[in-house]
Structures are given as C-alpha cells and as structure tokens.
Amino acid sequence: MAPHNTVTVGGNVTYGLLHSGEFWYGSAPVPTVSGYNNAWDEHDERLLASAYAQDDVGLFDHTVHITPGVKFLDAYTISSDAIGIYYPIGGTVANNQHFVSPTLGINYAPLPGFSVYASWGRNIKFPNIGAYYSNIAETNAAGQYVVVPVSIKPEYVTDYELGTRYRHAGFLGSVDAYREYFTNTFVNVTNPTTALSTTTNGGRSRYQGIELTLEQHFGHILVGRWLGYANYSYNQAVFTSSFHSTYAGQVSAGQPLANVPKNMVNVGLGWRLGGIDARIGAKYVGPQYVNQQFAGSRGPQDPRLHGHQHRPVRYHPAPRGRRQKREARLEHRQCLQPPLCRGRHQQLRLLWEPLSVGVRGHAVFGVWECHADVLGGVEAGAQTGASWVGTTACHAIDIERRYAARHGPARGPYTKY
C-alpha cells in the first residue's frame, strides 16, 4: 500500500541544416551562381535542446498512477538568404526561444486491462522557417529594402484530455476527448507585392474533439507477427479572439480555422520480423476549410474541399506523463518545405487527395532507427489524377524514446507485438 516512485530523467539535442535554392537559366546545364541566376539561395539552421524529469507515483498496489513532470525546451534558429530575384538584398536573421513545460497525468486501473485517465499540460511550438526568411528584403516606409528582426512569438498551448483504455488478449481499444487552448496562433500570409509568404501570430484559438482507436494483435502467422488497426477522430477548431489580418480584414471570434478536417479515418495492417517492420494503410480525410488567397484565415465564402492531411499539431501529455506531440502540421501540408511555397499561394490545392494509400518500412540498427515511406493519393472530380512521394530518414534513438520503448508508448499502431 506504500507509494512507489520511479523518477526518470533525460534529454535530447538535435541539430538541423537546410539548404534551399532555385536557379533559373535558359538551357542545361544550369549554373548555380548566387547573385546571378538564383530566385533564392537560402541556408537555415536550427538547434533544438531539451531536458526533462518525471516522477511516476504508484498508489494502492499500482492501481493509481500520478505522473508529474517538467521539461525545458530551447530552440536557436538562423536563416540566411543571398541576393537573388526574390531578394534585392541579402541578410541573416536569428533568434533564441525557450520554454518550461509542466505536465500532470492521473491513471486509474480498477480492473485488469481497463483504465481511465486524465491529463493536463502546457507546451510550446516554435515557429517554422517561414517565419524567418521573409524578414529579409522587406521594404520600409521609405521604400528601402531592409532586414527586419524576427518578432514572431511561439505558439503556447494548454491541453486537457480525458479518456479510457481497455486491453485484453491482443486487443486494445481506447476513446478520449481533448480540448486545447492556443495563444499566438500561427497564420500564414502572402504579400501580393513581393510574392513572399510568412508566418505571423493571429490571436487565440481552441481545438477540441474525440478520438477512437482499435487495435488487434494477431500474433505470429506464417512469417512474422501481424497487427491490424483502425482510428477515427472528430475535430473542431475555432478562433476564440478577434484580430485584424492585413489581407482578410477583421477575423472574428468563433470563425473556424483552416486546414482542420472534421472527420479522419485511418486503417492499416502491420507486420514485424525481428527488428524490421512494415505497414500498409489507407487514410480518409473529410471536408475542411481552406485559406483565402493571401490571408492566414479562411475565405469569406467558406470554401471547403477534401484532401489528405494530418490534423494540426496537438501537444499531448500522455496518460503516464510522457510528453508527446500529436501528428504534426508537417508531413502532409500543401508545401513540403516552406521555402518551396514562395511566389505562389499555398491554398491553391492540397497536395494529398481524398483517398491515399501508404507503405512504410522500418528498421533498427543498434542506436540508429531508419524508416522509408511511400505514399500515394488518388483524386477524382474536377481534376482526376494520382501522385506519389517517397521519403527516407535515419536518426539516433534518444533517451526518451528508449524509455518509451521499454515501458510501452501511450498509444499507436505498434504498442506491443
């Protein structure tokens, strides 16, 4: 009956480099000379560092777990552009931002395999690179080109979640309701004169919804172990404060946010053999608002379209206190990298279509984890066509991921084979 404490500490450091450029020429081979034929030639860097501590307090023979935690996050970002067609002058902008993120989770398991939980947390989302490069070669009141210091603030979010989970004989089912309050909500706007897109802050917003997850572990069949899974989510997002957008005018509280599908369905089949796993799945994403041509808010006619796109970032303090980010606004956005969005508005069409099918390969080699993805979409209606994209990545497994691997993640298609 005495309390039992498990204290976990860890950290992570990630350093990223990006070189983005576009060069124009009348014939091949195309020279790549900055200041001569480049539309832009950009170099970006970001250093992300974090350290965390978490206490798992077990009470009443471990039927109750209370998990307070705290995490420190720090980001240093620098963006440099050379003189080019889009940049009459070159320059560099940089800044440093940090945040202390508290979390608290409570998990109660009155019966074997069945639990209910509640969680609360505060977190941060640092601006992406689109908030930096457009500050180079802005025009001041005198019409002169200048480099403007970065003034955008990070997004801050307060997250509440209530849910239940049941696990038995290879089956896992869970349902949860969430509500998140954002301040300094990011909005993307495009300057129609310079054709440069940038990210600004647009006031407060609220995300809320319900999520359902079903998984069935079939065990070993012929070769390897197999898993089937299905997920459904209902999502709603609105601004909760009014603000003025340069190109959209007044944005009122209660107005929906763009790029937040109301309904999403995800089904798939997973296979694992030793340290290698593969997954094939299909996703459906329902109607969603899209932005005005140059504004960071939805259009006045409430245009809607279907498209395959993950739900915007949800910062999730997991039931057992480990901090996680929900599916990020990164993998399936209109433009895969912000520099590639320049000179054209990002809402013209979504990259992914109503129905998509993907295959993922995954392997672990010592402390290195690698994966490869192939994702395709099919579009029907005013336009008919198909598109495919492939990605690969490898990274070192950090301390936090190792802890999650030993104790089991809070959710996901590969909780346990």
Side-chain angles (χ1 to χ4, degrees):
M1 298 293 290
H4 180 272
N5 289 64
T6 301
V7 178
T8 304
V9 297
N12 177 261
V13 176
T14 301
Y15 178 72
L17 291 169
L18 170 67
H19 179 206
S20 173
E22 183 169 309
F23 296 80
W24 299 347
Y25 202 64
S27 61
V30 178
T32 56
V33 181
S34 292
Y36 171 62
N37 67 326
N38 61 301
W40 71 85
D41 187 11
E42 176 183 322
H43 291 80
D44 304 310
E45 301 175 50
R46 172 163 278 181
L47 177 65
L48 290 170
S50 65
Y52 70 91
Q54 176 185 282
D55 189 10
D56 185 347
V57 184
L59 303 171
F60 307 108
D61 291 330
H62 295 279
T63 59
V64 176
H65 282 264
I66 302 175
T67 51
V70 63
K71 188 173 187 178
F72 175 78
L73 303 102
D74 184 85
Y76 175 76
T77 308
I78 182 170
S79 179
S80 300
D81 263 289
I83 294 175
I85 295 173
Y86 286 138
Y87 291 89
I89 64 170
T92 298
V93 293
N95 74 349
N96 180 258
Q97 298 170 321
H98 56 267
F99 184 71
V100 176
S101 168
T103 61
L104 177 64
I106 301 175
N107 190 86
Y108 173 51
L111 299 171
F114 175 76
S115 62
V116 294
Y117 64 87
S119 60
W120 167 90
R122 288 272 297 158
N123 213 326
I124 188 174
K125 182 176 186 297
F126 299 110
N128 64 28
I129 201 64
Y132 292 81
Y133 60 66
S134 59
N135 284 40
I136 302 171
E138 286 290 314
T139 55
N140 59 18
Q144 300 169 321
Y145 290 105
V146 294
V147 177
V148 180
V150 176
S151 60
I152 189 171
K153 301 176 182 178
E155 279 186 336
Y156 299 103
V157 59
T158 302
D159 177 278
Y160 301 89
E161 184 166 339
L162 179 65
T164 183
R165 182 182 294 106
Y166 177 71
R167 185 193 299 269
H168 178 72
F171 170 80
L172 171 65
S174 66
V175 61
D176 68 79
Y178 70 90
R179 175 170 287 189
E180 296 163 336
Y181 295 95
F182 282 76
T183 57
N184 304 329
T185 305
F186 291 150
V187 293
N188 295 318
V189 297
T190 302
N191 187 320
T193 302
T194 63
L196 293 177
S197 300
T198 189
T199 303
T200 64
N201 297 120
R204 298 187 301 274
S205 60
R206 182 187 68 232
Y207 291 76
Q208 60 185 10
I210 298 173
E211 298 171 317
L212 172 67
T213 299
L214 300 173
E215 299 177 9
Q216 179 63 55
H217 299 261
F218 301 108
H220 188 276
I221 302 176
L222 298 178
V223 178
R225 306 182 70 84
W226 296 83
L227 161 74
Y229 60 92
N231 305 286
Y232 167 77
S233 67
Y234 172 83
N235 312 286
Q236 190 180 73
V238 296
F239 288 106
T240 56
S241 66
S242 300
F243 64 95
H244 186 270
S245 170
T246 304
Y247 305 111
Q250 185 66 27
V251 176
S252 301
Q255 181 171 316
L257 276 79
N259 304 323
V260 182
K262 269 196 171 183
N263 297 283
M264 295 195 298
V265 180
N266 175 33
V267 296
L269 185 67
W271 170 83
R272 171 171 290 178
L273 181 63
I276 300 175
D277 61 55
R279 179 173 55 179
I280 183 170
K283 297 175 183 282
Y284 170 79
V285 176
Q288 58 191 290
Y289 290 98
V290 295
N291 285 334
Q292 283 190 350
Q293 184 177 4
F294 296 115
S297 61
R298 68 167 177 81
Q301 302 303 316
D302 298 345
R304 299 182 183 220
L305 54 80
H306 291 267
H308 175 197
Q309 179 171 327
H310 284 316
R311 179 164 60 80
V313 165
R314 285 201 52 233
Y315 296 100
H316 170 62
R320 295 188 62 80
R322 290 187 300 276
R323 203 56 182 244
Q324 297 178 339
K325 280 198 296 187
R326 295 282 190 180
E327 296 173 302
R329 282 174 290 188
L330 173 63
E331 189 175 354
H332 304 307
R333 298 200 58 177
Q334 294 91 321
C335 299
L336 291 181
Q337 296 180 11
L340 302 183
C341 301
R342 302 177 186 178
R344 62 182 186 273
H345 176 52
Q346 300 180 25
Q347 63 76 236
L348 295 180
R349 65 182 295 272
L350 290 180
L351 181 64
W352 303 111
E353 289 74 31
L355 179 64
S356 64
V357 178
V359 178
R360 162 168 286 192
H362 173 271
V364 176
F365 307 96
V367 299
W368 288 94
E369 180 179 42
C370 301
H371 67 82
D373 297 90
V374 177
L375 184 64
V378 178
E379 178 182 10
Q383 301 181 50
T384 301
S387 59
W388 296 89
V389 68
T391 61
T392 60
C394 292
H395 59 85
I397 305 173
D398 61 29
I399 296 173
E400 190 169 6
R401 288 182 61 103
R402 293 188 186 199
Y403 175 82
R406 290 197 301 270
H407 296 272
R411 64 184 67 230
Y414 294 115
T415 47
K416 183 180 180 183
Y417 270 85

